[in-house]
Amino acid sequence: MTMDFNTVDFFSFTLKSVISIFAILNPFGALPVFVSLTQNYSQNDKRYIVRRSIYFVVGILTFFFLFGELLFKIFGINIGSLEVAGGILLSLVSINMVFGNPYKERTSKDELAEAEDKENIALVPLAIPLLSGPGAIATVITLSTSVENLFLYVAIFIAIIISCIAVYFVLISSSYLNSFLGKIGIGIISRLMGIILLAISVQFIVNGLKILFPVIAK
């Protein structure tokens, strides 16, 4: 799908990308895990963990944003197939978010148990797979394959940065948010993000099917 650049397209696409990426990162869903893992750490340690984790997330998402499509081309995977596959994967993640189990496919009890120090927590399980899991990776790759305009590529990168900054502030406010929202409030927000993400994933599938079966687009 080719998009021609203009100011409206740039800002609307950036906004759409921010919503997509922030929803799949779902920091509100990660709050209980983060609070549990860092309950014995000082505020400075928590800030260090969140900062390091965000560095990892930005690096992971940027790598797959830049080289993900190339990797799939090496394996001979059609862009349409990639969009459909990404949409299906996102839909599975979003359905789990809606039903209150956002990390069913992302992490395991063993991975949580291995988080023994600040550096480990920042990378595993916080950055991988809680935040930048398969769904987030699929999202940035699918977004990158949906455009051929340099300005919109820049828009995706800006969206990654904005989303990660937003995630940083959510996690750094974890103690306050966890006590203010409670499990019910966090669950409601996570489910709302799941619904938004499900709608986005369906659109990815539709776009992919139009590429695979041009007759549908007519």
Side-chain angles (χ1 to χ4, degrees):
M1 180 176 62
T2 304
M3 299 183 182
D4 296 323
F5 173 76
N6 60 55
T7 304
V8 175
D9 280 346
F10 181 82
F11 285 106
S12 63
F13 185 75
T14 301
L15 178 61
K16 173 188 172 182
S17 300
V18 169
I19 293 173
S20 302
I21 296 170
F22 183 78
I24 189 61
L25 291 177
N26 188 21
F28 294 100
L31 279 180
V33 175
F34 177 70
V35 170
S36 176
L37 290 174
T38 61
Q39 58 183 339
N40 296 322
Y41 288 106
S42 67
Q43 190 62 30
N44 285 337
D45 286 341
K46 290 179 181 180
R47 289 180 181 275
Y48 173 83
I49 291 169
V50 174
R51 187 168 60 251
R52 293 290 294 173
S53 180
I54 294 303
Y55 291 157
F56 289 132
V57 173
V58 170
I60 292 166
L61 296 187
T62 301
F63 174 81
F64 282 99
F65 161 60
L66 294 175
F67 304 109
E69 183 180 357
L70 176 62
L71 292 175
F72 280 95
K73 284 183 177 179
I74 291 174
F75 290 101
I77 299 175
N78 182 276
I79 291 178
S81 300
L82 176 60
E83 292 207 31
V84 172
I88 292 173
L89 178 58
L90 291 180
S91 66
L92 293 175
V93 173
S94 61
I95 288 172
N96 283 324
M97 290 169 64
V98 171
F99 287 102
N101 193 13
Y103 302 118
K104 184 177 180 182
E105 277 81 25
R106 296 203 204 180
T107 190
S108 65
K109 293 181 179 179
D110 291 337
E111 289 171 326
L112 292 176
E114 289 177 1
E116 297 176 351
D117 55 40
K118 296 190 289 294
E119 202 68 32
N120 283 346
I121 292 173
L123 180 58
V124 179
L126 195 55
I128 305 170
L130 289 181
L131 295 174
S132 54
I137 292 171
T139 299
V140 295
I141 294 176
T142 306
L143 285 171
S144 70
T145 60
S146 69
V147 298
E148 296 179 2
N149 186 297
L150 177 61
F151 292 101
L152 297 184
Y153 273 107
V154 173
I156 297 172
F157 180 72
I158 292 174
I160 292 174
I161 300 300
I162 293 174
S163 300
C164 288
I165 291 174
V167 170
Y168 171 83
F169 283 109
V170 170
L171 292 180
I172 210 66
S173 307
S174 59
S175 299
Y176 171 76
L177 291 173
N178 195 53
S179 60
F180 178 74
L181 296 174
K183 290 184 178 179
I184 294 177
I186 291 173
I188 291 173
I189 294 176
S190 183
R191 283 170 170 81
L192 289 174
M193 287 187 173
I195 293 172
I196 295 172
L197 188 62
L198 182 59
I200 293 171
S201 68
V202 171
Q203 188 60 55
F204 280 160
I205 294 173
V206 171
N207 292 342
L209 289 175
K210 287 181 179 179
I211 295 174
L212 293 174
F213 307 101
V215 67
I216 298 178
K218 295 182 179 180

